[in-house]
Structure formats: structure tokens, C-alpha cells
Amino acid sequence: MKIELQNIKVSDLVDGYADNQEGGVVGYHGLLNIRPKYQREFIYSQAQAAAVIQTVMNGFPLNTMYWIALPDGNYEVMDGQQRTLSICQYISGDFSVDFGDSNPKNFFNLKNDEKDRLLNYCLTVYFCSGTESEKLAWFKTVNIAGEKLTDQELRNAVYAGPWVTDAKRHFSKTGCVASKLGGDYITGSPIRQELLEKVLKWIAATQGQTIEQYMADHQNDADALAEWTYFQNVISWIEAKFEKRTKLMKGLDWGRLYNEHKSDVLDKAVLEKRISELLRDDEVTNQKGVYEYVLTGKEKFLNLRSFDKRDMRRKYEEQQGICPLCHQHYEIEEMEGDHITPWSQGGKTEYSNLQMLCKKCNREKSNH
């Protein structure tokens, strides 16, 4: 990993500055990719942006910034994007700042010596180059200040290229097509790359890979059509197999469920009947878990209602501490409340259906 410290004048930073909206933002004589295409939007508040300008005008140091040195001689901002945008936008006249005299000024209202003070200010920038794994490890280490980058934002910078750019187009903008298509089922902020991260985690799992391994394999792909098609398939599967209940369905691990059960023979009408029954069952305390239950049959996802501790103490005394299966005596802490007739066979969580079993017997009964 090569790390080179540079002092960059603000005047050089803003030379060639252009905000092309979804096409990205560039600066530093047109060599610096400040915000790549479809990268997260400007998230500093007006007060935060003003604080950056006040810091510069007072000659105080800003936190160190990090730029990636690209093989073609260009650069990309790794850390410091929001501070960089604040400076460039101010000098472009996009907002005004109150310097303590209750008279907010934009750059063009400043006196010449004030403009010079701002333009001659030097930013401390580390130029970083190296392998993808070296850069990712380094950036995770230095990502400790400012608007902290998410893990996926770090990955996007390390594996930058046409594939990541196209993936962001689908998954990383407010109101992006993926958010519109799957917003009733999938959580995660597009502009903080949470939606993209989720989709990459799911599709990488189909190949037994981590997100980093998957991105390394596809970094030089021309587009992200495969990932977009996969996401559409996930959403189509959800809507083909389940009636929409947004409140219960939103945020479930749908990609994993799709990966594991897409080949299962599932009848939507049968699933709906069972789900409706479960949602009416007062024994089920985790209603969001009914979807995983109907796919796996594992009761742990339902968080079935448990027996009251007072009832368990009362039953323990009635049994005189004797487990009815192994006929041994135990302290109450060594026993658990058990449904005589299991929930799956219609048993209810009520006193008449309660027995106290030792933990060993209860585990063995549950496994049969």
C-alpha cells in the first residue's frame, strides 16, 4: 500500500469543478472524481457545510482527507467527500455563511483578501494506491471521522469501475428503480448503499462468496444486469408466493429465503391459508416469523407463548420436583415448562397442558 501526503490548495481543488447531477461531480483540474455517478447524495446539513467554511476561513485544520490514486492518473475521493463538496459548492455560490456579523455572505460577497484566504487554504490529503485488499483494509482503519462511510461505500471505492457505477444506478439513488420495485419488502437506505449491500450479500451467497469476493470477481464487468435481474427475480418470487402484508413482510431476509426455497413446490393459496391461521393464533408472539415458519416448519421463528413463571412454580410443587419422564428429582432451575400436547398438535399454553420436565428430557422430547 502506497500512501503519499499532499497539501492541496482550495484554488486547485475547485479548478474544473463541475456538478453533473446524476452524472457525478468532478474537481481538481477535472482529475478528481468527487462524487462518482449515482454515489450517495450530499448529506451535510446547512449548518455542517457552513462549519466547514468557517473552519477554513479561520485557518483551522480540517480533518485529513483520502483520495484513491487510479491507474489512469485520475483520483477519486475516498474520505472527505462532504467537506470537499461543501467547499466547492460555497465557492460556486450555492449557499451563504454567517461569519459572526449576522450578515450571511456567499463567496461572491467576500472581500478580495477573504477570497484569497479561502482559495489559498491548503487541504491535507493522502493519495492512496495499492491492491484492492490493501486499500479496503486501510480505509476501514482510517474511516473514523466526519460522516462515517458505510462498509459498502468503502467497498464501492475499492472496487470502482463500470460495474459498480451501473449497480449504483439501480440500487443507490433516492427513488431508484430497485427501491420502487421492492420498497414494500426490502429495507435499507439507497444513498448509504445499504440496499446495494443487501442485494450483493444475497447474490454472493448463491456462489458461496463474501461481498468482497463477489465484487472482486465482477469489478470489470460492463454492467450490473445480472444483479438487477436477480433482484427482480427475488421480488417476483415474493409476490408470486405470498399475499402482500407490508408491515409484516418489510425487512425480512427475502434474498436468503429466495435462495433457499425458490425451487420448493409452494402453493400460494395453501400458504395464505396457513399464514392467516397463524396470524390469528394467540400462541404466536412473533407474527413476522410466520413466513420463515411456513417455509421451514421450524417453530423457533414463531416465538410461541411461554408458560407463566408462577404457574411453573405451582406445577413444580405439585410434581414435588419429580420429572414425569425420567422420574428423577430436580431443583426448579433444572427444569422447564413443557406443553403436554405440543402446539403443533393443537396444545395451548394453559395450566392444564403444563408439565415440568428436566432439561434433558425436554430437549429429547422436542427433538422427536
Side-chain angles (χ1 to χ4, degrees):
M1 181 74 183
K2 182 180 178 182
I3 305 170
E4 182 182 358
L5 180 63
Q6 296 276 357
N7 290 316
I8 304 297
K9 278 189 176 184
V10 167
S11 58
D12 288 322
L13 175 70
V14 299
D15 181 63
Y17 168 72
D19 185 346
N20 300 309
Q21 301 300 316
E22 289 192 350
V25 183
V26 298
Y28 191 58
H29 316 300
L31 300 175
L32 176 64
N33 195 344
I34 299 173
R35 179 178 61 74
K37 292 179 182 180
Y38 307 102
Q39 177 67 288
R40 67 172 174 178
E41 297 161 352
F42 187 66
I43 60 174
Y44 262 11
S45 67
Q46 185 173 347
Q48 287 175 303
V52 170
I53 304 306
Q54 290 164 343
T55 298
V56 171
M57 291 298 286
N58 285 317
F60 299 152
L62 283 175
N63 288 336
T64 302
M65 300 180 187
Y66 298 86
W67 295 1
I68 299 172
L70 302 174
D72 61 3
N74 292 323
Y75 305 93
E76 183 172 302
V77 174
M78 179 62 224
D79 186 51
Q81 181 188 98
Q82 304 302 309
R83 283 164 281 160
T84 301
L85 285 172
S86 296
I87 293 170
C88 292
Q89 289 178 353
Y90 181 71
I91 292 177
S92 294
D94 292 351
F95 64 95
S96 299
V97 175
D98 184 349
F99 295 104
D101 57 2
S102 300
N103 182 27
K105 300 176 183 176
N106 65 29
F107 178 74
F108 302 108
N109 297 136
L110 297 178
K111 296 178 181 177
N112 288 335
D113 64 313
E114 293 174 323
K115 291 179 181 178
D116 289 341
R117 191 191 319 164
L118 177 56
L119 293 172
N120 289 325
Y121 181 91
C122 284
L123 304 168
T124 303
V125 181
Y126 279 114
F127 287 35
C128 309
S129 59
T131 66
E132 282 77 9
S133 59
E134 287 175 334
K135 287 187 285 187
L136 187 59
W138 174 253
F139 293 143
K140 285 183 176 179
T141 300
V142 303
N143 185 31
I144 57 176
E147 291 290 337
K148 187 176 176 68
L149 297 174
T150 66
D151 287 343
Q152 189 56 43
E153 286 172 325
L154 291 169
R155 298 185 192 106
N156 288 350
V158 170
Y159 300 103
W163 174 73
V164 166
T165 297
D166 196 50
K168 291 175 186 174
R169 180 170 66 88
H170 291 100
F171 300 104
S172 301
K173 287 288 292 183
T174 299
C176 63
V177 288
S179 183
K180 291 178 179 177
L181 179 65
D184 288 336
Y185 312 107
I186 314 297
T187 58
S189 168
I191 65 171
R192 295 311 306 267
Q193 310 306 315
E194 293 168 352
L195 180 55
L196 175 59
E197 179 179 47
K198 192 164 292 186
V199 174
L200 291 179
K201 177 183 177 182
W202 290 338
I203 196 170
T206 66
Q207 301 177 22
Q209 294 183 312
T210 63
I211 296 176
E212 288 81 6
Q213 291 170 330
Y214 184 87
M215 293 185 74
D217 284 351
H218 295 276
Q219 180 177 7
N220 296 315
D221 289 0
D223 56 52
L225 180 60
E227 293 71 30
W228 171 236
T229 300
Y230 168 84
F231 182 75
Q232 292 179 89
N233 289 340
V234 172
I235 303 304
S236 295
W237 178 79
I238 297 170
E239 296 183 337
K241 302 302 179 183
F242 302 98
E243 295 292 341
K244 182 183 290 187
R245 292 181 175 87
T246 300
K247 186 174 181 180
L248 295 179
M249 300 173 80
K250 191 176 180 71
L252 296 181
D253 200 5
W254 285 113
R256 178 179 60 81
L257 295 176
Y258 169 77
N259 292 345
E260 295 174 357
H261 301 284
K262 63 183 178 183
S263 298
D264 294 357
V265 178
L266 302 171
D267 186 304
K268 185 173 184 177
V270 174
L271 288 174
E272 174 59 21
K273 181 176 182 295
R274 186 61 179 131
I275 289 171
S276 183
E277 291 171 350
L278 290 166
L279 295 178
R280 295 195 303 269
D281 191 335
D282 60 8
E283 296 287 314
V284 176
T285 64
N286 178 28
Q287 292 191 328
K288 289 178 76 73
V290 301
Y291 295 95
E292 193 127 12
Y293 172 74
V294 297
L295 291 170
T296 66
K298 296 179 180 179
E299 293 179 7
K300 65 180 181 179
F301 296 112
L302 300 177
N303 289 353
L304 296 173
R305 192 158 59 91
S306 58
F307 289 104
D308 183 84
K309 290 184 178 180
R310 289 174 296 181
D311 286 342
M312 289 193 290
R313 165 60 72 176
R314 178 183 166 193
K315 181 61 68 172
Y316 174 82
E317 297 299 336
E318 286 183 8
Q319 295 177 196
Q320 297 182 335
I322 303 298
C323 173
L325 297 187
C326 67
H327 309 292
Q328 300 295 314
H329 181 274
Y330 297 91
E331 297 297 324
I332 191 169
E333 294 81 9
E334 302 173 301
M335 305 187 81
E336 297 172 330
D338 171 67
H339 291 76
I340 298 171
T341 301
W343 169 81
S344 60
Q345 299 175 24
K348 298 294 184 181
T349 307
E350 52 192 27
Y351 192 77
S352 62
N353 194 36
L354 167 64
Q355 62 180 352
M356 296 296 289
L357 300 182
C358 71
K359 293 181 179 180
K360 181 175 182 294
C361 287
N362 195 32
R363 299 292 187 274
E364 290 177 350
K365 180 187 176 187
S366 299
N367 291 332
H368 285 81

